[in-house]
Amino acid sequence: MTCERTNRKIAIVGGGPGGYVAAIRASQLGASVTLIEKDSVGGTCLNRGCIPTKVLLKTARLLDDIKNSDIFGVRVKNAELNWEGLTKRKDEVIDHFVAGVTSLLKGNNVEVLHGKARMRSSRALEIFLPDGAIRILETDSIILALGSLPTVPPIPGLDLSGILTSNEALSLDRPPRSMMVIGGGVIGVELASAFASFGADVTIVEVAEEILPRYDADLVTLLRATLKRKGIKIETSSRVLKVDPHDDIYRVALESGEGAGKKVVDVEKVLVCVGRRPNTKDLNLDNLSVKTDRGRIVVDEKMSTSLDGVYAIGDCASQFMLAHVASTEGEVAAENAMGRDAKMSYAVIPSGVYTEPEMAIVGISEKEAVEKGLNAKVGRFSLSSNSRAVIQGQPQGMVKIVADGSTGEIWGAQMFAPDATDLVMEIALAMRSEATLDEVIATIHAHPTVSESIREASLDVFQRAIHALPLQV
Ligand SMILES: Cc1cc2nc3c(=O)[nH]c(=O)nc-3n(C[C@H](O)[C@H](O)[C@H](O)COP(=O)(O)OP(=O)(O)OC[C@H]3O[C@@H](n4cnc5c(N)ncnc54)[C@H](O)[C@@H]3O)c2cc1C
């Protein structure tokens, strides 16, 4: 590990996965680091995002497994959700990681200041401390890691008290009997899936023609079928017109673009998941000429803003609102603030949807390859022919590999498979290290594993899959 003692001062605003990772990296490089956080370290990811949603989804998966246990030869009587137990576990997991981040920061000699920061100049911050005092912090560089906030569209009724965003959905007193999820993106689909497993009658309303518009259509079709099997209703090409409170329910008026006209749905809870906006208000960015684009801080590949010595990372600046992207940008910004020449590359960004089975993608899809005019070959492998997936009772998935058929260069992969979010990393590493399909194929994959389906999909690019019937010519 490099350890250059330089005494350079770096101030980081925001202690989410962008900010705390930047703090640790800057400290490793010898900076004297102050991290300012107005809430709890770990940011959205630990406190209101990645971690609590996955705790809910773990319990959802367990409940679904118990419901389906008969097919595995296990009879379970009277399994029921213990909401207090789940809430307690969620809070314990969050506390565990918040304490972990706190001790990592301490162990790396990062000073953590609790308070709200505002920029005074490119070299100074005002910090509003909880006791009402204001502290001025002079520094050599600033890294802004301010995160994002849920967007609530201006639809009549969505400003009513009791309407949920993902923040409130993660701390309900009890699971609702029915829920409308407005927005069929990753967060909406994950929460819809969890609450359906907890017994709620869930409807997803999505304005686009399909849920998860960024994901591969073949795989979304498979996911949609599993969501429907869980009883989730999906209204695509549909928009919410208004929400009215009615006794102890909400009456939601919808308009469907698929010729079904208008309809009204009564639900106990309405959850808005239509996206997130950068949290860049109140920082004094405009007065300091920090360039923004619709609220997002504009940065270059070094994560530098338009103001010399000021960097921005994560959801407040990035095109990708993902924790691992925020962290990588944090390392890049910290290195540049310490005089190195680091550049951010977005060529290989894995991401996932933590449904059951999971969906994961990296690189480009078949559709994107066509749009880019690439002569892509696509290899497919159905998990109904993968022994591990069948043993696990999850044969409904598929792996797709998008590649240059002549050179074997891998351009992307999409998978709907058990633990796909881990599985996708094989292709991410192959792409990053410029390995071709030949290397993936030459790698002996352990049996029985779901990873064998990656090798089979790679073989299918050359019509050589062993465990799939050849195409009849
Ligand atoms: C429900 C949900 C599920 C998600 N699941 C996943 C997932 O599975 N995988 C994934 O990769 N991503 C997921 N995300 C996205 C992920 O949480 C974000 O991309 C990530 O947290 C961004 O990190 P960040 O450091 O940029 O910002 P944040 O994590 O939002 O942290 C920003 C921090 O800055 C602080 N702050 C802001 N302004 C100030 C100020 N003026 N002074 C002091 N402090 C300030 C805030 O309090 C906050 O703690 C999810 C998000 C949500 C909402």
Side-chain angles (χ1 to χ4, degrees), residues 13-20 36-51 53-54 115-118 145-148 166-167 170 186-187 190-191 276 279 281-283 313-316 320-327 352 354:
V13 185
Y20 85 74
I36 304 108
E37 170 56 59
K38 65 180 167 63
D39 195 348
S40 180
V41 291
T44 304
C45 171
L46 275 194
N47 298 287
R48 302 171 292 282
C50 325
I51 301 303
T53 47
K54 285 11 162 221
K116 186 170 179 185
R118 186 171 181 276
L146 311 162
S148 60
S166 59
N167 291 348
L170 292 166
V186 177
I187 296 174
E190 286 186 358
L191 288 171
R276 296 179 64 85
N279 179 21
K281 261 188 166 178
D282 305 331
L283 248 284
I313 58 171
D315 284 10
C316 70
F320 294 87
M321 287 191 170
L322 291 166
H324 42 288
V325 175
S327 298
Y354 289 72

Side-chain angles (χ1 to χ4, degrees), residues 308-320:
D308 187 43
V310 179
Y311 301 82
I313 58 171
D315 284 10
C316 70
S318 186
Q319 299 296 326
F320 294 87

Side-chain angles (χ1 to χ4, degrees), residues 126-204:
E126 288 176 314
I127 301 159
F128 301 86
L129 300 169
D131 62 4
I134 300 177
R135 181 168 156 187
I136 307 297
L137 186 77
E138 307 275 347
T139 182
D140 297 313
S141 298
I142 295 173
I143 300 178
L144 299 172
L146 311 162
S148 60
L149 299 169
T151 304
V152 178
I155 294 170
L158 288 191
D159 53 351
L160 291 167
S161 77
I163 299 291
L164 310 174
T165 68
S166 59
N167 291 348
E168 296 80 35
L170 292 166
S171 19
L172 292 172
D173 296 342
R174 59 173 179 80
R177 286 179 295 277
S178 57
M179 178 181 259
M180 173 165 293
V181 181
I182 306 178
V186 177
I187 296 174
V189 166
E190 286 186 358
L191 288 171
S193 176
F195 282 105
S197 300
F198 301 152
D201 180 2
V202 178
T203 306
I204 300 176

